[in-house]
Amino acid sequence: MPKWEDYKRTAKERGALALELYVVNTKPVGPDADIPGTLPDHLAYQAKMEAAGSLAFAGPVSDESGEEMFGEGMIVYRAESLDAARELADGDPMHARGVRSYTIRRWLINEGSFTLSVGLSTGKIDFK
């Protein structure tokens, strides 16, 4: 199995984007976790990370059927290293207060696309 940095270098050499981000999968520590009480501070933290350029994406994920919410979420950070991304995750009030636990992994973005449309006269923004 190749080492992460070796694979990243090879991806760049073949012309892939090789953009490294950090994916945090987060879940409640139990049914009595005070998620509603921690949510305002969590959202304020997310807004601060977004303004700082550290938060790429965040939001809940469904259960495997795609039909139900079950309390898990995903956060994608921009950071200089895995340790720096871990510090961002640790700073989230949900994690700092022990309301949620998380795992974190490096994510190397090589392929894909998105469309961003900005209506200048309407102020409408569409992201797909």
Side-chain angles (χ1 to χ4, degrees), residues 3-49:
K3 294 286 189 188
W4 183 263
E5 290 301 327
D6 293 340
Y7 180 82
K8 184 176 173 181
R9 185 182 66 257
T10 300
K12 284 183 179 181
E13 288 170 356
R14 73 170 184 266
L17 179 61
L19 172 64
E20 186 172 278
L21 299 176
Y22 302 88
V23 177
V24 173
N25 290 298
T26 180
K27 63 182 180 178
V29 295
D32 297 328
D34 185 20
I35 291 175
T38 310
L39 188 60
D41 291 340
H42 163 73
L43 294 176
Y45 181 79
Q46 296 289 68
K48 181 180 170 184
M49 294 301 97

Side-chain angles (χ1 to χ4, degrees), residues 23-96:
V23 177
V24 173
N25 290 298
T26 180
K27 63 182 180 178
V29 295
D32 297 328
D34 185 20
I35 291 175
T38 310
L39 188 60
D41 291 340
H42 163 73
L43 294 176
Y45 181 79
Q46 296 289 68
K48 181 180 170 184
M49 294 301 97
E50 182 179 341
S54 298
L55 179 66
F57 303 102
V61 296
S62 73
D63 70 349
E64 290 181 14
S65 75
E67 300 299 322
E68 302 291 330
M69 292 290 296
F70 67 120
E72 292 191 17
M74 185 177 0
I75 304 164
V76 180
Y77 289 122
R78 293 179 195 94
E80 294 297 316
S81 67
L82 183 59
D83 287 338
R86 190 172 286 112
E87 286 181 24
L88 295 172
D90 287 343
D92 185 322
M94 290 286 187
H95 304 138

Side-chain angles (χ1 to χ4, degrees), residues 88-104:
L88 295 172
D90 287 343
D92 185 322
M94 290 286 187
H95 304 138
R97 295 180 192 165
V99 176
R100 299 176 76 88
S101 64
Y102 73 88
T103 59
I104 188 168

